[in-house]
Amino acid sequence: MSGSPFDRTIFDSLLRRRLFYTPAFEAYGGISGLFDYGPPGCSLQANIIELWRKHFVLEEDMLEVDCTMLTPSEVLKTSGHVDKFADWMCKDPRSGEIFRADHLVEEVLESRLKGDKEARGIKIEKDEDADAKKRKKKVKDIQAIKLDDAVVKEFEEILAKIDNYDGPELGLLMKKYDIKNPATGGDLLPPVAFNLMFETKIGPSGGVTGYLRPETAQGQFLTFSKLLEFNQQSMPFAAASIGKCFRNEISPRAGLLRVREFMLAEIEHFVDPEGGKKHPRFKDVKEVELSLLNRDVQLGGGTKVEKTPIGKAVASGLVDNETLGYFLARIQLFLQKLGVDQTKIRFRQHMANEMAHYAADCWDAELFTSYGWIECVGCADRSAYDLSVHAKKTGSPLVVREVRSEPLRIEEWQIDLDKKKFGPKFKKDGKTVEAAVEALTQERREQYAEALKKDGKITIEVAGVSGGKVEIEKDLIEIVKRTRVENMREYTPNVIEPSFGIGRILYSLMEHVYWTRAGDEARGVLSFPPPVAPTKVLLVPLSNNPAFGPILSRISHKLRSQGVSNRIDDSSASIGRRYSRNDELGTPLGITVDFQSAKDSSVTLRDRDSTKQVRASEEEITVAIRSLVDGNETWQDVLKRLPEFTEQNVN
């Protein structure tokens, strides 16, 4: 639909001019990574969230919670965030400038590849060229220099797996390729870890350290037992949460894509680990095709995706299990509903260094923008890690207990201690020794049972007691093999977690639906689908005739009473100019009230993208609008059943 190639500068100017967003605290110079949404940005975000709620929370019967943003340090220490939630940064010791190491390596190598293209006479795409010019303001010595073919291949392979490098490896790359401060050419210190959480003190005494949450997940994990009870002990089930999160980004430079305060929508789907993590509705989505970029291709330096039905991907083991595959497909369908360009979606599998040690599998839904491929949704199998570490730390039983369909008979080695003799024998060390005995594995218990028969005593390791080894006589302990019957099963659920960056999705969507009209490149259009458009309907009078006012007010009130947002533009600008302004705001539909309207209460309805119109009664038009806004009909459906209109009545 575009009349000219995408120009990010013009696009960004439109978003700011139409107040989709604006830098926060701009009068004071602003702070990088902080933005305010204006009216259309707020409406767009609210509509995306509403569609997310319908698609996931409502359709999947999820339990929504709203947990506090302020989180005690102890919680995030247990989850691993205090120690490990970090990016790698490097510093210029002379200027004090800070860089995020992986982004710096990526930026410099990409710039050198563009210089190589220029030297070879290869045409650079407009977006690519705009990026290069933007960099040249910061980068001192990007030149058109031809690289050896082997070096080009090496750079491309590094960029394909840039997310797989840790700090020391990034440091080696910087040293090998002589990567310095791009602006000054100054040497940089080796990368060091920088924790991304905002720390604060809770209460007037400052005795309790807390953090602004980096994710909503921890609050959901710690309410698991209450949610399980609320769900009448029924498994599996999912919790969901939408709210603000915070990350102290090292160098937020990519507009709305890398910010320090952002909206996350996260799902924690709790599933029984036994039985292969099946999903009862997987059959409904198994034919959904996804563009998959697996880790093996990335490790080989490639970026080629393979379009694969999710059923096949799960069956082959590429995607670890049905529940993970189910949510990948549902994510694809959600992005499709939003209006995301289907040719600009891929699902990239995490490489080993990216995944947490406890994760079974992890995929990111990435959307292609003028900034490259952007991670917008992460979908991970977090195993039982979070519930397990919090249960261990707090003693809370974050487990599921259910009656077995058939009793389970277990043969095991059991230990009986003679407490009357055991206590006096070991005195103050009695509890420590007893804990060590109870912790013995079944294999060790069997070995010690034989030793007791043979030697009449055993020697076990007990840290901190008698030099680390303790001898126990057979009159103090008996190890016997018995059959135990279990009628209840107790297990810690595994968690599949889809996590949606609402701001990133919002920005990527705006890029995907932006275009200009052929022959009139100054007229930008945002083709939001009606369900997510900030304002659904523009109402315009053909002129300032006083007879039109009551008709406009009546239609506007009727639409609002049905939950359809609309706006009256009765300014002196031409009809075309008024529609053009609202095309930039993404308003999909327009009603024109003219002299014919005053005679028979009929009005015209305009489609934003095609600019075609139909004419019908107010009632028929409002019914059509409601159907379009709900996503039940397309404009082509409306055009088939209502008469097309081609000429405005001007008298």
Side-chain angles (χ1 to χ4, degrees):
M1 287 194 292
S2 179
S4 62
F6 180 83
D7 187 314
R8 192 198 299 156
T9 304
I10 294 174
F11 172 69
D12 194 58
S13 172
L14 182 152
L15 296 183
R16 295 188 187 216
R17 179 163 42 85
R18 293 302 180 198
L19 207 56
F20 277 89
Y21 81 98
T22 185
F25 315 114
E26 198 168 18
Y28 282 86
I31 299 288
S32 61
L34 297 180
F35 296 94
D36 295 331
Y37 286 151
C42 281
S43 294
L44 178 60
Q45 177 178 258
N47 293 340
I48 290 173
I49 290 172
E50 182 183 4
L51 190 63
W52 186 88
R53 276 198 172 99
K54 287 178 179 177
H55 187 82
F56 290 106
V57 179
L58 185 61
E59 287 188 35
E60 306 288 347
D61 195 21
M62 294 177 177
L63 308 179
E64 187 173 351
V65 294
D66 185 3
C67 301
T68 175
M69 289 182 275
L70 196 57
T71 309
S73 173
E74 194 174 13
V75 172
L76 294 166
K77 177 73 174 175
T78 302
S79 68
H81 286 81
V82 172
D83 297 322
K84 297 178 181 178
F85 193 71
D87 281 336
W88 295 97
M89 71 172 188
C90 48
K91 183 177 182 179
D92 184 329
R94 289 201 171 193
S95 68
E97 193 172 0
I98 302 290
F99 299 90
R100 182 168 153 176
D102 59 335
H103 288 181
L104 177 63
V105 171
E106 186 175 29
E107 181 179 292
V108 170
L109 296 190
E110 283 180 346
S111 297
R112 291 179 185 176
L113 287 174
K114 284 170 185 172
D116 172 73
K117 282 185 179 180
E118 194 174 325
R120 292 171 186 255
I122 300 172
K123 185 180 178 183
I124 299 175
E125 294 297 323
K126 186 174 179 67
D127 290 350
E128 203 174 347
D129 189 43
D131 280 355
K133 287 177 181 175
K134 191 173 181 180
R135 281 196 187 95
K136 282 177 185 176
K137 295 176 183 177
K138 298 182 290 178
V139 179
K140 186 178 179 182
D141 57 353
I142 293 181
Q143 299 174 1
I145 299 174
K146 185 177 179 181
L147 304 172
D148 290 340
D149 290 348
V151 173
V152 170
K153 188 172 186 297
E154 202 172 324
F155 283 5
E156 288 173 344
E157 288 177 353
I158 290 168
L159 291 170
K161 51 187 178 184
I162 191 69
D163 294 318
N164 200 39
Y165 296 109
D166 60 18
E169 289 170 332
L170 289 167
L172 290 173
L173 289 174
M174 291 169 63
K175 187 175 181 180
K176 179 178 180 180
Y177 298 113
D178 195 29
I179 295 175
K180 301 180 183 293
N181 184 326
T184 67
D187 290 330
L188 300 170
L189 296 174
V192 295
F194 172 74
N195 192 285
L196 298 174
M197 292 192 296
F198 285 99
E199 184 178 337
T200 187
K201 298 296 181 183
I202 301 173
S205 67
V208 179
T209 299
Y211 295 93
L212 295 177
R213 67 182 180 189
E215 61 181 23
T216 71
Q218 300 308 314
Q220 296 186 63
F221 295 137
L222 289 167
T223 56
F224 168 75
S225 294
K226 294 173 183 176
L227 290 170
L228 180 64
E229 184 179 353
F230 180 85
N231 204 45
Q232 299 177 334
Q233 306 296 321
S234 178
M235 284 284 293
F237 74 90
S241 189
I242 305 169
K244 285 291 184 75
C245 296
F246 306 84
R247 297 181 187 179
N248 195 11
E249 293 285 353
I250 293 169
S251 52
R253 295 175 182 169
L256 294 177
L257 294 175
R258 190 160 295 280
V259 295
R260 291 182 163 127
E261 177 183 334
F262 51 92
M263 186 73 72
L264 270 188
E266 292 189 303
I267 296 164
E268 309 301 332
H269 182 90
F270 300 100
V271 61
D272 187 341
E274 285 190 5
K277 302 179 189 177
K278 303 288 186 184
H279 196 286
R281 293 180 59 188
F282 183 69
K283 62 182 184 298
D284 298 339
V285 300
K286 67 179 183 179
E287 299 303 327
V288 175
E289 286 194 337
L290 307 181
S291 295
L292 302 177
L293 175 57
N294 69 58
R295 65 168 64 96
D296 292 335
V297 170
Q298 296 171 71
L299 288 170
T303 57
K304 185 178 179 182
V305 301
E306 185 176 349
K307 208 165 181 65
T308 310
I310 192 62
K312 182 180 176 182
V314 171
S316 69
L318 176 58
V319 173
D320 188 72
N321 57 75
E322 278 191 10
T323 300
L324 181 61
Y326 176 77
F327 278 108
L328 292 179
R330 292 286 291 158
I331 290 165
Q332 166 91 4
L333 296 173
F334 168 68
L335 294 173
Q336 188 176 324
K337 278 184 184 178
L338 285 182
V340 165
D341 187 337
Q342 295 300 288
T343 66
K344 296 180 179 179
I345 303 176
R346 75 179 185 189
F347 287 81
R348 187 183 67 82
Q349 189 176 30
H350 277 209
M351 292 174 282
N353 280 10
E354 291 180 86
M355 286 205 304
H357 64 88
Y358 52 80
D361 196 8
C362 185
W363 294 77
D364 288 339
E366 297 184 332
L367 301 180
F368 189 75
T369 71
S370 61
Y371 291 95
W373 286 102
I374 302 299
E375 172 199 343
C376 291
V377 187
C379 195
D381 182 337
R382 295 176 70 129
S383 67
Y385 174 78
D386 300 277
L387 294 178
S388 298
V389 294
H390 286 304
K392 184 178 179 181
K393 178 67 178 178
T394 63
S396 301
L398 301 177
V399 295
V400 177
R401 298 187 79 244
E402 58 188 24
V403 178
R404 293 184 179 277
S405 55
E406 291 184 8
L408 180 66
R409 302 177 70 83
I410 303 169
E411 279 197 346
E412 63 182 14
W413 293 94
Q414 296 183 357
I415 294 174
D416 297 328
L417 297 176
D418 188 334
K419 299 291 182 71
K420 291 181 180 178
K421 296 179 181 178
F422 201 85
K425 168 74 174 175
F426 294 105
K427 298 184 174 62
K428 64 181 179 61
D429 296 322
K431 287 190 176 180
T432 305
V433 177
E434 183 179 346
V437 169
E438 295 293 346
L440 292 172
T441 64
Q442 285 294 306
E443 183 181 0
R444 296 294 285 168
R445 291 182 185 200
E446 185 176 4
Q447 292 169 359
Y448 284 137
E450 289 298 318
L452 279 173
K453 286 180 185 178
K454 182 180 177 183
D455 304 325
K457 62 182 179 181
I458 59 172
T459 302
I460 68 168
E461 295 181 1
V462 184
V465 179
S466 300
K469 291 191 181 294
V470 172
E471 188 176 277
I472 307 175
E473 302 285 345
K474 68 176 181 180
D475 63 327
L476 298 179
I477 186 170
E478 185 179 15
I479 304 178
V480 183
K481 194 169 193 178
R482 298 190 181 109
T483 299
R484 175 168 58 87
V485 178
E486 275 191 5
N487 292 302
M488 297 293 293
R489 176 177 170 236
E490 185 176 285
Y491 66 91
T492 303
N494 280 206
V495 176
I496 309 295
E497 179 194 69
S499 177
F500 299 74
I502 298 298
R504 288 186 171 194
I505 293 172
L506 180 149
Y507 175 82
S508 301
L509 173 64
M510 290 193 294
E511 269 206 18
H512 287 195
V513 301
Y514 172 76
W515 55 288
T516 57
R517 298 200 185 275
D520 190 0
E521 276 67 30
R523 292 182 65 184
V525 182
L526 289 168
S527 289
F528 297 117
V532 297
T535 301
K536 314 300 184 188
V537 186
L538 172 70
L539 294 117
V540 293
L542 185 64
S543 69
N544 60 0
N545 189 300
F548 299 158
I551 301 173
L552 289 167
S553 297
R554 181 174 68 244
I555 297 173
S556 177
H557 177 74
K558 186 171 186 177
L559 289 172
R560 290 183 189 281
S561 68
Q562 295 178 14
V564 178
S565 59
N566 63 84
R567 190 164 166 254
I568 296 174
D569 186 347
D570 55 3
S571 65
S572 59
S574 68
I575 287 276
R577 179 62 188 144
R578 281 180 277 174
Y579 274 129
S580 181
R581 281 194 301 233
N582 282 273
D583 287 348
E584 289 186 334
L585 287 165
T587 307
L589 302 165
I591 288 177
T592 303
V593 172
D594 57 15
F595 291 98
Q596 188 67 31
S597 307
K599 295 176 184 177
D600 60 12
S601 295
S602 69
V603 292
T604 66
L605 181 65
R606 173 190 182 264
D607 171 57
R608 172 198 57 216
D609 296 345
S610 67
T611 70
K612 290 186 176 181
Q613 298 184 70
V614 295
R615 184 168 205 118
S617 67
E618 284 180 29
E619 181 63 29
E620 289 174 302
I621 292 297
T622 53
V623 167
I625 289 170
R626 182 74 258 179
S627 184
L628 288 165
V629 168
D630 288 343
N632 297 326
E633 278 191 308
T634 65
W635 177 254
Q636 290 304 316
D637 296 326
V638 172
L639 205 56
K640 286 175 185 175
R641 61 182 181 79
L642 294 180
E644 188 172 352
F645 179 76
T646 55
E647 188 176 348
Q648 206 76 47
N649 188 348
V650 294
N651 53 47

